[in-house]
Amino acid sequence: MTPPASRRERPAKAALSRTAIVSTALEVMRVEGLAKVTMRRIAQELDTGAASLYVYVRNTAELHAAMLDELLGAVDLKPAKARGDWRKRLEAVLTSYTMVLFDQPGLAQSALVTWPNGDNFLNTVEALLTILDQGNVEPKRASWAVDLLLQFATTTAAEHGTRAQAIDGEEQWDALVDAARRVKPEIHPHIAALGDDLWSGDGRQRLTWGYAVLINGIVATPRP
Amino acid sequence: MTPPASRRERPAKAALSRTAIVSTALEVMRVEGLAKVTMRRIAQELDTGAASLYVYVRNTAELHAAMLDELLGAVDLKPAKARGDWRKRLEAVLTSYTMVLFDQPGLAQSALVTWPNGDNFLNTVEALLTILDQGNVEPKRASWAVDLLLQFATTTAAEHGTRAQAIDGEEQWDALVDAARRVKPEIHPHIAALGDDLWSGDGRQRLTWGYAVLINGIVATPRP
DNA sequence: ACCTGAACACCGTTCAAGT
DNA sequence: ACCTGAACACCGTTCAAGT
């Protein structure tokens, strides 16, 4: 006698756990995008009901934060242990962080409201503080600086990241560029004079310039 | 003979229009929060079906952008026409912008992905460009600077704004502060040394410092 | 062109009941 | 303690049919 079909269709049902939930969520995100990462969908993937997930995660926001922390394991923190120009090394870590988030702008967007608090995030913060210390930025100023730098890096990923709803975002971006083009020079002379230079241009160069602005500003601005 | 009840219960049904939709949406948001601003709910308020709204707005993202633009009418742009220290005046406009968004962090969050493109937004951009010009920042640099300044102001509102899901956000914030407190000094010495100073502190002071960092950085960093 | 009802294909979260 | 099915109270968007 064969076992019931349900016993043969899948491998033995894995035990539910926070780790299993987060890694399943990341898998679904990688394949189908963040929009498909819903409690019901993750539950389905784990062969259970959505209600069961609430034993391990408080809500969707917490799940997103846990996913992001997992992703942050890929950030290259080696520059914190290297030698050489601290500004370059700071920029290198931030660029790595931004690139990791760039493929998942939706996750970056949610991180602005709910920051992760896992090991990978803490390691990133520690690395940034280490480099700022090497640059002789006093600790109290460095603490605010990290916040500012991470905010900029995260927002940039959320804003310009590729993927998923980016198709929709592209349309809205064009609408903004169009609006700037149609502006009347009598009413908005500065916008009209800048033309396409206002909202377009190489994203990578803007990012590099943004880091430089922040680092120069941090060095030049003591905490009150 | 009295008219049918349905004819007496409400004032004569107003004609549908983009303006009516946006102002109804703002009304619902003010009273019940952004989470309640759904296509179905706005339609109900306007005595019609959700499908009818799609004649005037492409989707939810566009509705949010239109709402935000309307809100931006409250930003104080007078400093652009005043005299005195351009840095102070730039900060004044940005502070006003941030305060307008502060009550609606959810709208600020969505603005990062879909910027508004209406008159009030364009007026704000024009005002910022005007002040930067008065500060002798060259136009090309000013164009990138505006992007950076608005991004910072908007993100700050999205992150630290009050209201609605802020209750939930508060919990997650505490979780982050807790995580920083529990850190092992051997592994994360810089985080441990900073203690509560890392994630806490007066939001207003951090905001002012952030503006100063950006302005100093912009002045010090030419465009490549 | 504008408007509509109905349908499609979903959501997050809670809770009583089970093990 | 963990897990579940079912229920509650919703979503955005499309489309054929009407005016």
Side-chain angles (χ1 to χ4, degrees):
Chain A
M1 216 168 122
T2 53
S6 63
R7 289 247 249 136
R8 276 189 295 124
E9 269 160 11
R10 295 165 178 274
K13 190 173 159 180
L16 222 47
S17 71
R18 199 183 151 92
T19 318
I21 291 168
V22 173
S23 72
T24 304
L26 283 168
E27 180 64 20
V28 171
M29 181 179 76
R30 258 186 279 269
V31 179
E32 305 175 60
L34 185 64
K36 290 284 165 63
V37 178
T38 65
M39 293 304 224
R40 291 171 115 104
R41 181 61 204 282
I42 303 310
Q44 191 193 76
E45 213 74 24
L46 289 166
D47 224 352
T48 181
S52 306
L53 306 183
Y54 286 81
V55 177
Y56 304 95
V57 290
R58 192 188 304 278
N59 52 38
T60 310
E62 202 200 275
L63 176 60
H64 284 174
M67 290 166 69
L68 180 53
D69 194 80
E70 197 62 35
L71 235 45
L72 292 184
V75 177
D76 179 16
L77 303 179
K78 284 193 301 295
K81 308 218 153 144
R83 281 173 294 118
D85 185 355
W86 69 275
R87 289 164 180 255
K88 287 238 165 61
R89 289 185 290 118
L90 187 60
E91 204 191 307
V93 172
L94 290 168
T95 302
S96 171
Y97 173 93
T98 308
M99 291 309 144
V100 167
L101 288 198
F102 217 71
D103 290 331
Q104 300 300 336
L107 216 49
Q109 206 193 353
S110 87
L112 289 169
V113 171
T114 306
W115 288 91
N117 58 36
D119 282 347
N120 290 324
F121 180 71
L122 291 174
N123 290 342
T124 306
V125 171
E126 179 69 22
L128 295 173
L129 288 171
T130 302
I131 300 176
L132 284 165
D133 190 34
Q134 290 160 358
N136 289 318
V137 176
E138 330 96 75
K140 292 211 154 217
R141 196 196 300 200
S143 109
W144 285 11
V146 164
D147 203 18
L148 204 56
L149 292 165
L150 283 179
Q151 191 196 286
F152 173 67
T154 308
T155 304
T156 300
E159 244 188 312
H160 302 296
T162 48
R163 206 177 178 105
Q165 86 287 47
I167 313 119
D168 201 79
E170 204 57 50
E171 260 175 55
Q172 299 291 146
W173 186 257
D174 291 350
L176 179 53
V177 172
D178 266 23
R181 264 184 210 144
R182 276 198 312 273
V183 129
K184 292 215 176 76
E186 309 88 63
I187 303 174
H188 298 110
H190 293 92
I191 297 177
L194 283 167
D196 280 4
D197 196 57
L198 187 51
W199 302 117
S200 1
D202 186 335
R204 185 56 202 249
Q205 283 201 310
R206 281 171 102 115
L207 185 65
T208 306
W209 183 76
Y211 291 139
V213 166
L214 285 172
I215 296 172
N216 288 336
I218 288 162
V219 168
T221 317
R223 230 177 92 160
Chain B
M1 216 171 123
T2 51
S6 63
R7 290 245 250 136
R8 275 190 295 124
E9 269 160 10
R10 294 165 177 276
K13 189 174 159 180
L16 222 48
S17 71
R18 196 173 208 271
T19 317
I21 290 167
V22 173
S23 72
T24 304
L26 284 168
E27 180 66 20
V28 171
M29 180 179 77
R30 259 186 279 269
V31 179
E32 305 174 62
L34 184 63
K36 289 285 164 65
V37 178
T38 64
M39 292 306 223
R40 290 171 117 104
R41 182 61 204 282
I42 303 310
Q44 191 192 77
E45 213 74 25
L46 288 166
D47 223 352
T48 181
S52 307
L53 307 183
Y54 286 81
V55 177
Y56 303 96
V57 289
R58 193 188 303 280
N59 52 39
T60 310
E62 202 200 275
L63 176 60
H64 284 175
M67 291 166 70
L68 179 54
D69 195 80
E70 197 61 35
L71 235 46
L72 291 184
V75 177
D76 180 14
L77 303 180
K78 285 193 300 294
K81 308 218 153 148
R83 279 173 295 118
D85 184 356
W86 71 275
R87 289 161 180 259
K88 287 239 165 62
R89 289 185 291 117
L90 187 60
E91 203 191 308
V93 172
L94 290 168
T95 303
S96 171
Y97 173 93
T98 308
M99 289 311 143
V100 166
L101 288 198
F102 217 71
D103 289 331
Q104 300 301 336
L107 216 48
Q109 205 193 355
S110 88
L112 289 169
V113 171
T114 305
W115 288 91
N117 57 37
D119 282 349
N120 290 325
F121 180 71
L122 291 175
N123 290 342
T124 305
V125 171
E126 180 69 23
L128 295 173
L129 288 171
T130 303
I131 300 176
L132 285 164
D133 190 34
Q134 290 160 358
N136 288 319
V137 176
E138 332 94 77
K140 292 210 153 217
R141 195 195 302 199
S143 109
W144 285 10
V146 163
D147 202 19
L148 205 56
L149 292 165
L150 283 179
Q151 191 196 286
F152 173 66
T154 307
T155 305
T156 300
E159 244 189 310
H160 302 296
T162 47
R163 205 178 179 105
Q165 85 289 44
I167 313 120
D168 200 79
E170 204 58 49
E171 259 174 56
Q172 297 292 147
W173 187 256
D174 291 350
L176 179 53
V177 172
D178 265 22
R181 260 183 214 145
R182 275 197 312 273
V183 129
K184 291 215 175 76
E186 310 87 63
I187 303 174
H188 299 111
H190 293 92
I191 297 177
L194 283 167
D196 280 5
D197 196 58
L198 187 53
W199 302 116
S200 5
D202 187 334
R204 186 55 202 250
Q205 283 201 309
R206 281 171 102 115
L207 185 65
T208 306
W209 183 77
Y211 291 139
V213 166
L214 285 172
I215 297 173
N216 287 337
I218 287 162
V219 168
T221 317
R223 230 176 91 159

